Amino acid sequence: MWRGAAAILAANWTGSHTVPSRTLYPHQWSWDAGFISVGLAHVAPERAWRDLRSLFEAQWPDGRVPHIVFDPGVTERDYFPGPSFWTGNAPNGGPPSPNGADTASGNGGAATGPGGATANGNGNGAGTASGNGGGAASGNGAGPVRLSSGIVQPPVHAVGAWEVYRRRPDEAATEELRWLYPRLVAQQEYLATARDVGGAGLAAIVHPWESGLDNSPAWDEALAAVPAAVEVLRRYARRDNQVVSSNHRPTDDDYARYLSIALSYRDAGYRDADLADRHPFLVECPGFNALRGAAELALARIAEVVGADPAPHRERAGAITRCLAERLFDPTTGMFHALDVRTGRRNQARCVNGLLPLVLPELPAGQVDSLVDVLDSARFGVTARMPVPSYDRCAADFDPYRYWRGPVWFNINWLLRAGLRTHGRDELADRLRSALLDLVRDSGFYEYFHPGSGAGIGSPAFSWTAALTLDLLADPPD
Ligand code: 2M8
């Protein structure tokens, strides 16, 4: 299994970064890169550092780390929505030309990023509206320009960087941490300020894609209020449905709304000022915010290595934990729920992101007990065979095939196992680890898995499944 997982990571390595999947996701994805680094730490730490550097070279001047950094060598046809959609450079707003990736650059001059990073951005610093929309161009001056999307994903990179460092804490790794630290801090700062739309200390996501759990039922209500950009979708061709079955992916209706939200953000220059007045989708996700907290704790450790003050990071982690505990926990369901900032309502669906606050060590003991009960109940139960599904098994609309609406995902389960260990629930954590390893042993390194049969779904050679398998194999129970 070890060799199989390492081979997938090697095959998905492009020379500067790892793609999630050659067939389905041929660019670099933000939170994938964080999980991938955790696995690369065991087999190729130099690639782990390069991967993280690649991503952060594309960081925007305002601190945001884009959810996709596009590979200029990949054509527009190989992934939708590609760079011309995000930059707004598709001719007349129509379908992108195959050469869009090559022509969509040149939006502006160099801007100085956080920590002295130089990014050839397009002036999308916080608060500046750029008529040309987003799609920051990355780079340190060397190599081709890499355009990006303008939205983010959960900040798991500090956790990844810390894992890579602690597996081999030599001078080269310390140097990498010195380079990354100010950039990771800027990423956190962006989320803590520009994205605190609700004003309570939690970051709001502006698109379901920012959660990483794209079509989770957690967004259904908020999404229903968004107009569907049916005409826009019609002008493009979805690529995902040509690669895997459309029953295993978000629906066209979902996509029409995803495009509508992305266009709204893009056409406002990816500005975050006044989001509450104009943006159609603003939701506080418990998973996203729990991972912000976990990032602060990893930053505290990194700060100690690079000679910075760890105390403010620990304080921020504590503050995020308190906000989550007060604002997103529902005692009637015993778990956390996403809050729609536009309506002030908490979504009632029981989704797996509502269990992720378990990664926070200072979560009140009563909430920890409650999450563990839900996790081990019939809704999410870790049976001897199966890890935790992405949605409540007892829900009427539980769908064992459709992406984040039922199937089992490796990255989420890896985080839940870490959370269980944080709270001393070792027996359950060990069961989860065994179930995850059984799954890949029987089915392969798939993107996601049927929560009943364990059959693999989506991409068959998926990077974070391979990476986190390596980590589980290297980390047996005490
Ligand atoms: C999926 O999301 C992308 C959009 O970002 C897509 O469906 O095209 C999600 O599973 C997300 O969490 C993941 O990071 C990405 C790449 O693996 O794919």
Side-chain angles (χ1 to χ4, degrees):
M1 228 170 10
W2 182 274
R3 276 205 306 275
I8 285 177
L9 291 180
N12 289 348
W13 173 250
T14 65
S16 64
H17 62 275
T18 310
V19 295
S21 147
R22 288 274 175 193
T23 48
L24 207 46
Y25 311 108
H27 300 285
Q28 183 176 34
W29 259 260
S30 171
W31 79 327
D32 297 62
F35 293 119
I36 289 165
S37 71
V38 171
L40 285 177
H42 300 285
V43 290
E46 61 297 336
R47 252 161 51 209
W49 292 123
R50 184 72 196 90
D51 219 318
L52 290 170
R53 250 186 205 251
S54 274
L55 180 71
F56 278 81
E57 281 168 359
Q59 184 171 31
W60 287 28
D62 63 7
R64 86 183 71 190
V65 175
H67 102 296
I68 307 176
V69 184
F70 293 107
D71 181 340
V74 169
T75 72
E76 284 277 352
R77 266 176 297 211
D78 289 331
Y79 181 75
F80 173 75
S84 68
F85 175 87
W86 292 99
T87 55
N89 278 358
N92 306 320
S97 77
N99 296 324
D102 298 324
T103 56
S105 63
N107 284 340
T112 302
T118 301
N120 293 320
N122 58 1
N124 275 306
T128 41
S130 143
N132 217 347
S138 77
N140 48 15
V145 164
R146 292 170 73 210
L147 296 166
S148 74
S149 71
I151 60 171
V152 301
Q153 270 187 330
V156 294
H157 315 89
V159 169
W162 177 253
E163 287 296 312
V164 186
Y165 174 82
R166 86 178 174 94
R167 301 283 176 186
R168 197 196 280 178
D170 56 14
E171 189 41 46
T174 307
E175 211 27 66
E176 295 293 343
L177 284 188
R178 278 198 202 102
W179 187 88
L180 271 172
Y181 177 73
R183 291 161 173 85
L184 291 165
V185 170
Q187 174 188 32
Q188 291 288 98
E189 190 61 21
Y190 167 75
L191 298 175
T193 53
R195 290 303 190 82
D196 186 4
V197 186
L202 297 180
I205 55 170
V206 302
H207 196 292
W209 283 334
E210 292 203 314
S211 70
L213 283 68
D214 301 3
N215 67 341
S216 168
W219 324 127
D220 285 0
E221 260 168 53
L223 211 53
V226 172
V230 178
E231 282 308 313
V232 180
L233 182 63
R234 220 169 267 150
R235 290 205 298 272
Y236 290 89
R238 276 179 72 174
R239 159 85 183 161
D240 56 330
N241 284 344
Q242 295 164 28
V243 183
V244 298
S245 161
S246 57
N247 292 336
H248 304 170
R249 295 282 310 174
T251 62
D252 271 356
D253 184 65
D254 291 334
Y255 256 76
R257 291 172 211 270
Y258 296 160
L259 296 186
S260 163
I261 302 170
L263 288 176
S264 164
Y265 198 35
R266 182 195 82 182
D267 293 344
Y270 295 110
R271 272 182 311 116
D272 292 309
D274 310 322
L275 276 172
D277 300 332
R278 64 180 155 80
H279 194 66
F281 184 93
L282 293 166
V283 179
E284 292 173 359
C285 167
F288 190 103
N289 280 288
L291 294 172
R292 271 179 68 216
E296 290 296 345
L297 292 171
L299 278 172
R301 290 177 156 153
I302 294 172
E304 278 167 0
V305 175
V306 304
D309 184 2
H313 296 301
R314 295 206 183 95
E315 281 156 26
R316 272 181 226 129
I320 292 168
T321 306
R322 286 191 294 280
C323 290
L324 268 167
E326 279 163 24
R327 203 164 148 90
L328 303 191
F329 186 76
D330 184 341
T332 57
T333 60
M335 60 185 293
F336 291 79
H337 295 264
L339 183 142
D340 186 337
V341 178
R342 290 167 54 88
T343 62
R345 273 204 306 271
R346 267 199 309 248
N347 179 277
Q348 282 311 296
R350 293 171 170 92
C351 305
V352 77
N353 55 347
L355 300 174
L356 283 179
L358 209 50
V359 298
L360 297 167
E362 289 182 20
L363 201 66
Q367 293 188 357
V368 172
D369 290 346
S370 178
L371 289 184
V372 172
D373 284 350
V374 175
L375 211 147
D376 208 17
S377 73
R379 298 186 188 281
F380 289 96
V382 184
T383 66
R385 170 95 177 80
M386 204 49 66
V388 180
S390 45
Y391 184 37
D392 175 5
R393 288 178 187 278
C394 304
D397 55 349
F398 175 77
D399 185 334
Y401 288 100
R402 207 179 277 286
Y403 219 38
W404 291 93
R405 303 181 74 88
V408 167
W409 288 80
F410 229 76
N411 61 336
I412 296 294
N413 276 278
W414 181 84
L415 289 165
L416 289 174
R417 178 199 180 229
L420 287 167
R421 280 161 65 106
T422 298
H423 295 286
R425 310 301 169 111
D426 290 353
E427 192 270 324
L428 197 50
D430 295 346
R431 262 200 279 152
L432 191 48
R433 174 180 178 276
S434 304
L436 285 164
L437 291 177
D438 286 351
L439 200 55
V440 284
R441 187 175 299 115
D442 294 348
S443 302
F445 300 99
Y446 270 86
E447 184 183 0
Y448 44 110
F449 301 86
H450 188 288
S453 70
I457 320 178
S459 164
F462 196 64
S463 291
W464 81 39
T465 307
L468 299 174
T469 297
L470 290 175
D471 193 61
L472 291 178
L473 287 170
D475 193 18
D478 298 329

